[in-house]
Amino acid sequence: MSSIENSEEVGSNKTKNRSIWYRAKRLCQRYPLGAIGSFIVFLVVFAAVFADFVAPYDPTTTSAKMSLSPPGSDMLFGGDMMGRDVLSRIIHGARISLAVGIGSTILGGVIGTIIGLMCGYWMGLFDLLIQRIIDMMQALPLLVMALVMAASLGPSLENTIIAISIPLVPQVARVIRSNVLSLRELPFVEAARAVGMSDLRIVFRHILPNTLAPLIVLGTAQLGSAILTEASLSFLGLGVPEPYPSWGRMLSESAAEYVRVAPWLVIFPGIAISAAVFGANLMGDAVRDFLDPRNQS
């Protein structure tokens, strides 16, 4: 009996594995651009997690002998003005970009979700005041507000995350508020009120789970913007300071003075920023289409 049960368990596991691979294949066929974007994001995540093992050199080690060395066998992407390996700095820079991008997206999403839930469910004077503040915040572009916040807080990893997360709050709050306004009038919310549930329990137990789909879509869409904003702040000297390798700071150090003598100092960090933002945007579009009920068959 045990051998029969074991064979049945092995067969069921094989069926599950085939089903998972079949679904993954179908998703790649249905959303090819999303698959490409997810693969790019996976490469960035892999480089960030295993940077200590993947990078050929220490990103902070300098060498006067290798200063401005062109791409070759010793340094695949060449060396910068201080003899540091550009490839190693790009690989370790993925950690900074992901930490800032994911951290600011999560922090802005949490704050915006709480504000959106409160405004959409309780409304009243509180909603009126908060919406006017959000209107003023949305009147400024994302980069301008991030510049103001970063200049006020100072350059550091934590301050950069805060500086980018604050401008992301208004859009999240508006999306969540609009969903809550439609959900609060549905029968299941009225039934929860009728049985005597508290407002907090209704909001977090019944309304919040129904706003997760648009929140996930918005978060994946904002990830690319957060990575690009971090690179812009670092380029202007208001982002993550040395000795942390940052893609934007790599451009800032070499763009003006060494662009003609050593163009690889600009080309490779620029490609890394473009690829990360491009992959995040493609993945966000695919997630939006996948979670859209109109596209479900």
Side-chain angles (χ1 to χ4, degrees), residues 9-292:
E9 184 177 356
V10 171
S12 63
N13 291 333
K14 289 182 177 179
T15 303
K16 291 180 180 178
N17 292 333
R18 291 175 183 175
S19 176
I20 293 174
W21 284 110
Y22 176 75
R23 292 179 181 178
K25 182 180 178 181
R26 287 293 301 272
L27 287 175
C28 292
Q29 291 175 347
R30 187 173 182 181
Y31 307 105
L33 294 179
I36 295 173
S38 301
F39 179 72
I40 295 174
V41 172
F42 170 77
L43 289 180
V44 176
V45 173
F46 181 84
V49 174
F50 300 101
D52 295 331
F53 306 99
V54 176
Y57 300 100
D58 190 319
T60 60
T61 300
T62 61
S63 173
K65 179 181 177 181
M66 303 302 294
S67 177
L68 297 179
S69 59
S73 57
D74 293 334
M75 290 185 175
L76 191 60
F77 284 3
D80 63 2
M81 72 293 298
M82 300 179 65
R84 297 172 297 188
D85 182 40
V86 175
L87 175 60
S88 299
R89 290 180 63 79
I90 289 177
I91 292 174
H92 281 268
R95 287 183 171 179
I96 302 299
S97 296
L98 278 184
V100 174
I102 296 176
S104 58
T105 301
I106 293 176
L107 181 59
V110 170
I111 298 175
T113 300
I114 294 175
I115 293 175
L117 288 172
M118 295 173 65
C119 292
Y121 189 81
W122 283 285
M123 297 189 296
L125 181 60
F126 174 79
D127 178 40
L128 182 63
L129 294 176
I130 294 297
Q131 292 309 308
R132 299 297 73 78
I133 296 175
I134 289 178
D135 289 338
M136 291 186 290
M137 294 176 66
Q138 286 190 312
L140 295 175
L142 172 62
L143 181 57
V144 174
M145 186 175 295
L147 280 172
V148 174
M149 296 294 300
S152 303
L153 297 173
S156 71
L157 178 61
E158 295 79 9
N159 291 344
T160 303
I161 293 175
I162 296 173
I164 298 176
S165 65
I166 298 302
L168 298 178
V169 170
Q171 188 175 3
V172 177
R174 281 282 171 86
V175 172
I176 298 300
R177 176 180 177 273
S178 63
N179 279 272
V180 173
L181 287 176
S182 60
L183 290 170
R184 69 189 303 273
E185 305 298 336
L186 293 181
F188 73 92
V189 177
E190 296 291 340
R193 291 197 193 99
V195 298
M197 284 188 180
S198 64
D199 290 338
L200 286 178
R201 186 175 182 183
I202 292 174
V203 168
F204 290 102
R205 180 74 180 273
H206 298 284
I207 294 181
L208 179 60
N210 289 282
T211 62
L212 291 181
L215 186 61
I216 293 173
V217 173
L218 188 59
T220 54
Q222 288 182 337
L223 178 61
S225 300
I227 293 175
L228 185 60
T229 305
E230 183 275 327
S232 302
L233 292 178
S234 297
F235 180 84
L236 297 172
L238 296 173
V240 181
E242 292 285 1
Y244 302 105
S246 172
W247 294 340
R249 184 169 290 275
M250 292 173 68
L251 289 175
S252 176
E253 293 172 346
S254 57
E257 190 172 355
Y258 300 100
V259 64
R260 295 184 179 179
V261 180
W264 57 87
L265 299 181
V266 177
I267 293 174
F268 293 119
I271 291 176
I273 295 172
S274 302
V277 176
F278 181 67
N281 289 338
L282 287 181
M283 186 180 70
D285 291 340
V287 171
R288 179 196 61 195
D289 294 339
F290 177 75
L291 295 178
D292 191 348

